[in-house]
CSV table of all heavy atoms in Angstrom, one decimal:
chain,number,residue,atom,x,y,z
A,126,TRP,N,-15.3,-8.9,-12.9
A,126,TRP,CA,-16.5,-8.0,-12.7
A,126,TRP,C,-16.2,-6.9,-11.6
A,126,TRP,O,-16.4,-5.7,-11.8
A,126,TRP,CB,-17.7,-8.7,-12.3
A,126,TRP,CG,-18.9,-7.9,-12.1
A,126,TRP,CD1,-19.8,-7.4,-13.0
A,126,TRP,CD2,-19.4,-7.4,-10.8
A,126,TRP,NE1,-20.7,-6.6,-12.4
A,126,TRP,CE2,-20.5,-6.6,-11.1
A,126,TRP,CE3,-18.9,-7.5,-9.5
A,126,TRP,CZ2,-21.2,-5.9,-10.1
A,126,TRP,CZ3,-19.6,-6.9,-8.5
A,126,TRP,CH2,-20.7,-6.1,-8.8
A,127,TYR,N,-15.6,-7.3,-10.5
A,127,TYR,CA,-15.3,-6.4,-9.4
A,127,TYR,C,-14.3,-5.4,-9.8
A,127,TYR,O,-14.5,-4.2,-9.6
A,127,TYR,CB,-14.7,-7.2,-8.2
A,127,TYR,CG,-14.3,-6.4,-7.0
A,127,TYR,CD1,-15.3,-6.0,-6.1
A,127,TYR,CD2,-13.0,-6.0,-6.8
A,127,TYR,CE1,-14.9,-5.2,-5.0
A,127,TYR,CE2,-12.6,-5.2,-5.8
A,127,TYR,CZ,-13.6,-4.8,-4.9
A,127,TYR,OH,-13.3,-4.0,-3.8
A,128,TYR,N,-13.2,-5.8,-10.5
A,128,TYR,CA,-12.2,-4.8,-10.9
A,128,TYR,C,-12.6,-4.0,-12.1
A,128,TYR,O,-11.9,-3.0,-12.3
A,128,TYR,CB,-10.9,-5.5,-11.1
A,128,TYR,CG,-10.2,-5.8,-9.8
A,128,TYR,CD1,-10.2,-7.1,-9.3
A,128,TYR,CD2,-9.6,-4.8,-9.1
A,128,TYR,CE1,-9.6,-7.3,-8.0
A,128,TYR,CE2,-9.0,-5.0,-7.9
A,128,TYR,CZ,-9.0,-6.3,-7.4
A,128,TYR,OH,-8.4,-6.5,-6.1
A,129,GLU,N,-13.7,-4.3,-12.7
A,129,GLU,CA,-14.2,-3.4,-13.8
A,129,GLU,C,-14.8,-2.2,-13.2
A,129,GLU,O,-14.8,-1.1,-13.7
A,129,GLU,CB,-15.2,-4.2,-14.7
A,129,GLU,CG,-15.7,-3.3,-15.8
A,129,GLU,CD,-16.7,-4.1,-16.6
A,129,GLU,OE1,-16.9,-5.3,-16.4
A,129,GLU,OE2,-17.4,-3.4,-17.4
A,130,TYR,N,-15.5,-2.4,-12.0
A,130,TYR,CA,-16.3,-1.3,-11.4
A,130,TYR,C,-15.5,-0.6,-10.3
A,130,TYR,O,-15.8,0.6,-10.0
A,130,TYR,CB,-17.6,-1.9,-10.9
A,130,TYR,CG,-18.5,-2.3,-12.0
A,130,TYR,CD1,-18.7,-3.6,-12.3
A,130,TYR,CD2,-19.2,-1.3,-12.7
A,130,TYR,CE1,-19.5,-3.9,-13.4
A,130,TYR,CE2,-20.0,-1.6,-13.8
A,130,TYR,CZ,-20.2,-3.0,-14.1
A,130,TYR,OH,-21.0,-3.3,-15.1
A,131,TYR,N,-14.6,-1.2,-9.6
A,131,TYR,CA,-13.9,-0.6,-8.5
A,131,TYR,C,-12.4,-0.4,-8.8
A,131,TYR,O,-11.7,-1.4,-9.2
A,131,TYR,CB,-14.1,-1.5,-7.2
A,131,TYR,CG,-15.5,-1.6,-6.9
A,131,TYR,CD1,-16.2,-2.7,-7.1
A,131,TYR,CD2,-16.2,-0.5,-6.2
A,131,TYR,CE1,-17.6,-2.8,-6.8
A,131,TYR,CE2,-17.5,-0.6,-5.9
A,131,TYR,CZ,-18.2,-1.8,-6.2
A,131,TYR,OH,-19.5,-1.8,-5.9
A,132,LYS,N,-11.9,0.8,-8.6
A,132,LYS,CA,-10.5,1.1,-9.0
A,132,LYS,C,-9.6,0.9,-7.7
A,132,LYS,O,-10.1,1.0,-6.6
A,132,LYS,CB,-10.4,2.5,-9.4
A,132,LYS,CG,-11.2,2.8,-10.7
A,132,LYS,CD,-11.1,4.2,-11.1
A,132,LYS,CE,-12.0,4.4,-12.3
A,132,LYS,NZ,-12.3,5.7,-12.6
A,133,SER,N,-8.4,0.6,-8.0
A,133,SER,CA,-7.4,0.4,-6.9
A,133,SER,C,-7.1,1.8,-6.3
A,133,SER,O,-7.3,2.8,-6.9
A,133,SER,CB,-6.1,-0.2,-7.5
A,133,SER,OG,-5.5,0.8,-8.3
A,134,PRO,N,-6.6,1.8,-5.1
A,134,PRO,CA,-6.3,3.1,-4.4
A,134,PRO,C,-5.3,3.9,-5.2
A,134,PRO,O,-5.4,5.1,-5.3
A,134,PRO,CB,-5.8,2.7,-3.0
A,134,PRO,CG,-6.4,1.3,-2.8
A,134,PRO,CD,-6.5,0.7,-4.1
A,135,MET,N,-4.3,3.2,-5.8
A,135,MET,CA,-3.3,3.9,-6.6
A,135,MET,C,-3.9,4.6,-7.8
A,135,MET,O,-3.5,5.7,-8.1
A,135,MET,CB,-2.2,2.9,-7.0
A,135,MET,CG,-1.0,3.6,-7.7
A,135,MET,SD,-0.2,4.9,-6.8
A,135,MET,CE,0.9,3.9,-5.8
A,136,GLU,N,-4.8,3.9,-8.5
A,136,GLU,CA,-5.5,4.5,-9.6
A,136,GLU,C,-6.3,5.7,-9.2
A,136,GLU,O,-6.4,6.7,-9.9
A,136,GLU,CB,-6.3,3.4,-10.4
A,136,GLU,CG,-6.8,3.9,-11.7
A,136,GLU,CD,-7.5,2.8,-12.5
A,136,GLU,OE1,-7.3,1.6,-12.2
A,136,GLU,OE2,-8.2,3.2,-13.5
A,137,GLN,N,-7.0,5.6,-8.1
A,137,GLN,CA,-7.8,6.7,-7.6
A,137,GLN,C,-6.9,7.9,-7.3
A,137,GLN,O,-7.2,9.1,-7.6
A,137,GLN,CB,-8.5,6.3,-6.3
A,137,GLN,CG,-9.6,5.3,-6.5
A,137,GLN,CD,-10.3,4.8,-5.3
A,137,GLN,OE1,-9.8,5.2,-4.2
A,137,GLN,NE2,-11.3,4.0,-5.4
A,138,MET,N,-5.7,7.6,-6.7
A,138,MET,CA,-4.7,8.7,-6.5
A,138,MET,C,-4.2,9.4,-7.8
A,138,MET,O,-4.1,10.6,-7.9
A,138,MET,CB,-3.5,8.3,-5.7
A,138,MET,CG,-3.9,8.0,-4.2
A,138,MET,SD,-2.5,7.6,-3.2
A,138,MET,CE,-1.9,6.1,-3.8
A,139,HIS,N,-3.9,8.5,-8.8
A,139,HIS,CA,-3.5,9.0,-10.1
A,139,HIS,C,-4.6,9.9,-10.7
A,139,HIS,O,-4.3,11.0,-11.2
A,139,HIS,CB,-3.2,7.9,-11.1
A,139,HIS,CG,-1.8,7.4,-11.0
A,139,HIS,ND1,-0.8,8.0,-11.6
A,139,HIS,CD2,-1.3,6.4,-10.3
A,139,HIS,CE1,0.3,7.4,-11.3
A,139,HIS,NE2,0.1,6.3,-10.5
A,140,GLU,N,-5.9,9.5,-10.6
A,140,GLU,CA,-7.0,10.3,-11.2
A,140,GLU,C,-7.1,11.6,-10.4
A,140,GLU,O,-7.4,12.7,-11.0
A,140,GLU,CB,-8.3,9.5,-11.2
A,140,GLU,CG,-8.3,8.4,-12.2
A,140,GLU,CD,-9.6,7.7,-12.3
A,140,GLU,OE1,-10.5,8.0,-11.5
A,140,GLU,OE2,-9.7,6.9,-13.2
A,141,ARG,N,-7.0,11.5,-9.1
A,141,ARG,CA,-7.1,12.8,-8.3
A,141,ARG,C,-6.0,13.8,-8.7
A,141,ARG,O,-6.3,15.0,-8.8
A,141,ARG,CB,-6.9,12.4,-6.8
A,141,ARG,CG,-7.1,13.6,-5.9
A,141,ARG,CD,-7.0,13.1,-4.4
A,141,ARG,NE,-7.3,14.2,-3.5
A,141,ARG,CZ,-7.0,14.2,-2.2
A,141,ARG,NH1,-6.5,13.1,-1.7
A,141,ARG,NH2,-7.2,15.2,-1.5
A,142,CYS,N,-4.8,13.3,-8.9
A,142,CYS,CA,-3.7,14.2,-9.3
A,142,CYS,C,-4.0,14.7,-10.8
A,142,CYS,O,-3.7,15.9,-11.0
A,142,CYS,CB,-2.4,13.4,-9.3
A,142,CYS,SG,-0.9,14.5,-9.6
A,143,GLU,N,-4.4,13.8,-11.7
A,143,GLU,CA,-4.7,14.2,-13.0
A,143,GLU,C,-5.8,15.3,-13.1
A,143,GLU,O,-5.8,16.1,-14.0
A,143,GLU,CB,-5.1,13.0,-13.9
A,143,GLU,CG,-3.9,12.1,-14.2
A,143,GLU,CD,-4.4,10.8,-14.9
A,143,GLU,OE1,-5.6,10.7,-15.1
A,143,GLU,OE2,-3.5,10.0,-15.2
A,144,ASN,N,-6.8,15.2,-12.2
A,144,ASN,CA,-7.9,16.2,-12.2
A,144,ASN,C,-7.5,17.5,-11.6
A,144,ASN,O,-8.3,18.5,-11.8
A,144,ASN,CB,-9.1,15.6,-11.5
A,144,ASN,CG,-9.7,14.4,-12.3
A,144,ASN,OD1,-9.6,14.4,-13.5
A,144,ASN,ND2,-10.4,13.6,-11.6
A,145,TYR,N,-6.4,17.6,-11.0
A,145,TYR,CA,-5.9,18.9,-10.4
A,145,TYR,C,-4.8,19.4,-11.3
A,145,TYR,O,-3.7,18.8,-11.2
A,145,TYR,CB,-5.5,18.6,-8.9
A,145,TYR,CG,-5.1,19.9,-8.2
A,145,TYR,CD1,-6.1,20.9,-8.1
A,145,TYR,CD2,-3.9,20.1,-7.6
A,145,TYR,CE1,-5.7,22.1,-7.4
A,145,TYR,CE2,-3.6,21.2,-6.9
A,145,TYR,CZ,-4.5,22.2,-6.8
A,145,TYR,OH,-4.2,23.4,-6.1
A,146,PRO,N,-5.0,20.4,-12.1
A,146,PRO,CA,-4.0,20.8,-13.1
A,146,PRO,C,-2.6,21.1,-12.6
A,146,PRO,O,-1.6,20.6,-13.2
A,146,PRO,CB,-4.6,22.0,-13.7
A,146,PRO,CG,-6.1,21.8,-13.6
A,146,PRO,CD,-6.2,21.1,-12.2
A,147,PRO,N,-2.4,21.8,-11.4
A,147,PRO,CA,-1.0,21.9,-10.9
A,147,PRO,C,-0.3,20.6,-10.6
A,147,PRO,O,0.9,20.5,-10.9
A,147,PRO,CB,-1.2,22.8,-9.7
A,147,PRO,CG,-2.5,23.5,-9.8
A,147,PRO,CD,-3.3,22.5,-10.6
A,148,CYS,N,-1.0,19.7,-10.0
A,148,CYS,CA,-0.4,18.4,-9.7
A,148,CYS,C,-0.1,17.6,-11.0
A,148,CYS,O,0.9,17.0,-11.1
A,148,CYS,CB,-1.4,17.6,-8.8
A,148,CYS,SG,-0.7,16.0,-8.3
A,149,ASP,N,-1.0,17.7,-12.0
A,149,ASP,CA,-0.8,17.0,-13.2
A,149,ASP,C,0.4,17.5,-13.9
A,149,ASP,O,1.2,16.8,-14.5
A,149,ASP,CB,-2.1,17.1,-14.1
A,149,ASP,CG,-2.0,16.3,-15.4
A,149,ASP,OD1,-1.4,15.2,-15.3
A,149,ASP,OD2,-2.5,16.7,-16.4
A,150,TYR,N,0.6,18.8,-14.0
A,150,TYR,CA,1.7,19.5,-14.6
A,150,TYR,C,3.0,19.1,-13.9
A,150,TYR,O,4.0,18.7,-14.5
A,150,TYR,CB,1.5,21.0,-14.6
A,150,TYR,CG,2.7,21.7,-15.2
A,150,TYR,CD1,3.0,21.7,-16.5
A,150,TYR,CD2,3.6,22.3,-14.3
A,150,TYR,CE1,4.1,22.4,-17.1
A,150,TYR,CE2,4.7,23.0,-14.8
A,150,TYR,CZ,5.0,23.0,-16.2
A,150,TYR,OH,6.1,23.7,-16.7
A,151,LEU,N,3.0,19.2,-12.6
A,151,LEU,CA,4.2,18.8,-11.8
A,151,LEU,C,4.5,17.4,-11.9
A,151,LEU,O,5.7,17.0,-11.9
A,151,LEU,CB,4.0,19.2,-10.3
A,151,LEU,CG,5.3,19.2,-9.5
A,151,LEU,CD1,6.3,20.2,-10.0
A,151,LEU,CD2,4.9,19.6,-8.0
A,152,SER,N,3.6,16.5,-12.0
A,152,SER,CA,3.9,15.1,-12.1
A,152,SER,C,4.6,14.8,-13.5
A,152,SER,O,5.4,13.8,-13.5
A,152,SER,CB,2.6,14.2,-12.0
A,152,SER,OG,1.8,14.4,-13.2
A,153,ASP,N,4.3,15.6,-14.5
A,153,ASP,CA,5.1,15.4,-15.7
A,153,ASP,C,6.5,15.9,-15.6
A,153,ASP,O,7.4,15.4,-16.3
A,153,ASP,CB,4.4,16.2,-16.9
A,153,ASP,CG,3.1,15.6,-17.3
A,153,ASP,OD1,2.8,14.4,-17.0
A,153,ASP,OD2,2.3,16.4,-17.8
A,154,GLN,N,6.8,16.8,-14.7
A,154,GLN,CA,8.1,17.3,-14.5
A,154,GLN,C,9.0,16.5,-13.5
A,154,GLN,O,10.1,16.2,-13.8
A,154,GLN,CB,8.0,18.8,-13.9
A,154,GLN,CG,7.2,19.7,-14.8
A,154,GLN,CD,7.7,19.8,-16.2
A,154,GLN,OE1,8.9,19.9,-16.4
A,154,GLN,NE2,6.8,19.9,-17.1
A,155,ILE,N,8.4,16.1,-12.4
A,155,ILE,CA,9.2,15.5,-11.3
A,155,ILE,C,8.7,14.1,-10.9
A,155,ILE,O,9.4,13.4,-10.1
A,155,ILE,CB,9.3,16.4,-10.0
A,155,ILE,CG1,7.9,16.5,-9.4
A,155,ILE,CG2,9.9,17.7,-10.3
A,155,ILE,CD1,7.9,17.2,-8.1
A,156,GLY,N,7.6,13.6,-11.5
A,156,GLY,CA,7.1,12.3,-11.2
A,156,GLY,C,5.9,12.4,-10.4
A,156,GLY,O,5.6,13.3,-9.6
A,157,PHE,N,5.1,11.3,-10.5
A,157,PHE,CA,3.8,11.3,-9.8
A,157,PHE,C,3.9,11.3,-8.3
A,157,PHE,O,3.2,12.1,-7.6
A,157,PHE,CB,3.0,10.0,-10.2
A,157,PHE,CG,1.8,9.7,-9.3
A,157,PHE,CD1,0.7,10.5,-9.4
A,157,PHE,CD2,1.9,8.7,-8.4
A,157,PHE,CE1,-0.4,10.3,-8.6
A,157,PHE,CE2,0.8,8.5,-7.6
A,157,PHE,CZ,-0.3,9.3,-7.7
A,158,SER,N,4.8,10.5,-7.7
A,158,SER,CA,4.8,10.3,-6.3
A,158,SER,C,5.2,11.6,-5.6
A,158,SER,O,4.6,12.0,-4.6
A,158,SER,CB,5.7,9.2,-5.8
A,158,SER,OG,7.0,9.4,-6.3
A,159,MET,N,6.2,12.3,-6.1
A,159,MET,CA,6.6,13.6,-5.5
A,159,MET,C,5.6,14.7,-5.7
A,159,MET,O,5.3,15.5,-4.8
A,159,MET,CB,7.9,14.0,-6.1
A,159,MET,CG,9.1,13.1,-5.8
A,159,MET,SD,10.6,13.6,-6.5
A,159,MET,CE,11.0,15.1,-5.7
A,160,ALA,N,4.9,14.7,-6.9
A,160,ALA,CA,3.9,15.7,-7.1
A,160,ALA,C,2.7,15.4,-6.2
A,160,ALA,O,2.1,16.4,-5.6
A,160,ALA,CB,3.4,15.7,-8.5
A,161,TYR,N,2.3,14.2,-6.0
A,161,TYR,CA,1.1,13.8,-5.2
A,161,TYR,C,1.4,14.2,-3.7
A,161,TYR,O,0.6,14.8,-3.0
A,161,TYR,CB,0.8,12.4,-5.3
A,161,TYR,CG,-0.5,12.0,-4.6
A,161,TYR,CD1,-1.7,12.1,-5.3
A,161,TYR,CD2,-0.5,11.6,-3.3
A,161,TYR,CE1,-2.9,11.8,-4.6
A,161,TYR,CE2,-1.7,11.3,-2.6
A,161,TYR,CZ,-2.9,11.4,-3.3
A,161,TYR,OH,-4.1,11.1,-2.7
A,162,ASN,N,2.7,13.9,-3.3
A,162,ASN,CA,3.0,14.2,-1.9
A,162,ASN,C,3.0,15.7,-1.7
A,162,ASN,O,2.7,16.2,-0.6
A,162,ASN,CB,4.4,13.7,-1.6
A,162,ASN,CG,4.4,12.2,-1.4
A,162,ASN,OD1,3.4,11.6,-1.2
A,162,ASN,ND2,5.6,11.6,-1.5
């Protein structure tokens, strides 16, 4: 029940990057961690 409603910090970071188009595009090119940084 807890994990259905609360996301892990890594999943929150992925969503933050996906919601920002330049980061989402760059993550497809060079990877998530480098784009997020």
Side-chain angles (χ1 to χ4, degrees):
W126 177 83
Y127 178 82
Y128 280 103
E129 180 180 352
Y130 291 103
Y131 299 101
K132 298 177 182 165
S133 68
M135 183 59 83
E136 189 171 347
Q137 290 175 358
M138 288 189 292
H139 274 277
E140 288 186 355
R141 184 177 182 195
C142 187
E143 288 172 358
N144 290 335
Y145 187 57
C148 183
D149 188 34
Y150 175 76
L151 192 61
S152 70
D153 291 337
Q154 305 300 319
I155 63 172
F157 166 73
S158 60
M159 292 177 69
Y161 189 87
N162 287 342

